[in-house]
Amino acid sequence: MTLTTNPFDDDKLREECGVFGIWGADNAASFVALGLHALQHRGQEAAGITTFDGRHFHSHRAMGHVAGNFDRDDIIRKLAGRAGIGHVRYSTTGETALRNVQPLFAELAEGGFAVAHNGNLSNAMKVRRTLNRRGSIFQSTSDTEVIIHLVATSARSGTLDRLTDALKQVEGAYSLVVLTDEGLVACRDPLGIRPLVMGKLGEATIFASETVALDVIGANFIRDVEPGELILVNDSGIRSFRPFQQVEPRPCIFEHVYFSRPDSIAEGISVYEVRKNIGAELSRESPIDADYVVPVPDSGVPAAIGFSQASGIPFELGIIRSHYVGRTFIQPSQDVRHMGVKLKHNANSALVDGKSIVLIDDSIVRGTTSVKIVQMMRDAGAREVHMRIASPPTRHSCFYGVDTPERAKLLAAQMNVDQMRDYINADSLAFISIEGLYRALGQERNNALPQRCDACFTGAYPTTLTDVADKERAASLSLVASR
């Protein structure tokens, strides 16, 4: 029997992917591998690298982590070239299989085309059906492959124009790095939902999902790739294009709450500082009298520090996380299955026994994690267990590249806060307000036109959800037909 040993991670929203691209560096694959290491938190399911040596493309894709797959000299040597792109994956569309691991590559009429995608296309199924009827044969179940077929069938000339034509036919979220014979292309959807940054290392130009990937290779951050911008880098230099109609950007607000590493700079703002601000806002909105502020490791730590500093309640590590436990292990008997919970997280009983504690976590999704944590604290002798959540209630699914349960499985979509408190068996429960979350970012929310994509909290989706609407329409017709 196999038991997952990350019981406090199985109820988190999962980021979908991380991308990295570099042009103009000797042994580019080594830099890509290092960049992907820094982005591993964005996807642990699979990883891949494609390079270009000026004549040929070289690829290696594998299931699992970057370490173990791309720290071998024999693999890196085979990925020759001064240009490369890479991808770490947590699937949001498509099955868990090697054929869906990116970068995806195809030999098109105008040359090789490799693409790595962070995001999700919300009309991919509709576009795919149209392409199927025209004769396109898909090799994967990933929405990203739609882009390749749209490029391949475009009537435009030149890779950049064909890519632009393709992207004008899709909706949703995408930050892409594309490697072609003509150069490296980086682009971001007009709303800028998913992040993408640009850096320099000597003469080399780099693109990555987060600034930490620049840090790890010693590159300098230049700027964000702007929403709706395409950047082409080749031996002739760097050129920027803006082929899309300009709209008000809506970057994902959850990048600041959970997805990005705390040592990243997102949109010019320190993610760590924002998370501390969130904790401070939370303490002002929902004060509590307690002995200790205890973070749910590791994502709850910065918000817990902010809560502690603003409230004056001491910060303590009431839950200790082991960093030396693998993802799975083999149990000899189902009778001891429950012991796996304590392999990765264990209560600091000497600290919490007899105390009133306030637990800080980043979110509640299904609620299963919160139930386990609260019970762990009670078993350790805590007198009172209060929970404060560093994001508003997650009431809606994400369709822009974040793996969220369907709405019927989101606890906040089925219960009010009092019911949720009873469900997790806490003495009190409170979430930061949507207004407080924006204040932590230094903004006031514009209710008529929110400055960020906060749809998972508010249901205010910034794009048309074609595939969702088609699915709901089909389900409705099926229900009527069955009556």
Side-chain angles (χ1 to χ4, degrees), residues 171-252:
E171 65 186 34
Y174 55 84
S175 284
L176 307 175
V177 286
V178 179
L179 190 59
T180 76
D181 300 69
E182 298 178 21
L184 173 64
V185 181
C187 58
R188 199 170 170 204
D189 69 77
L191 290 165
I193 297 175
R194 303 261 68 88
L196 193 62
V197 299
M198 178 180 178
K200 292 286 287 186
L201 179 64
E203 296 301 313
T205 301
I206 301 127
F207 300 97
S209 292
E210 294 184 39
T211 59
V212 289
L214 304 178
D215 297 338
V216 76
I217 65 169
N220 295 317
F221 169 74
I222 301 300
R223 64 178 178 88
D224 290 327
V225 176
E226 297 184 7
E229 183 181 21
L230 274 73
I231 300 176
L232 172 64
V233 182
N234 54 30
D235 290 339
S236 299
I238 302 171
R239 288 183 290 166
S240 173
F241 305 87
R242 299 179 186 278
F244 306 109
Q245 181 179 353
Q246 188 172 355
V247 294
E248 289 297 321
R250 296 279 297 275
C252 173

Side-chain angles (χ1 to χ4, degrees), residues 149-161:
H149 287 274
L150 288 174
V151 172
T153 57
S154 173
R156 303 286 182 87
S157 60
T159 302
L160 197 64
D161 286 342

Side-chain angles (χ1 to χ4, degrees), residues 279-280 282-283 286 288 293 303-311 358 360 388:
L282 188 55
S283 76
S286 303
I288 191 70
V293 174
I305 292 172
F307 192 103
S308 172
Q309 291 176 348
S311 65
V358 51
I360 309 294
R388 295 295 181 267

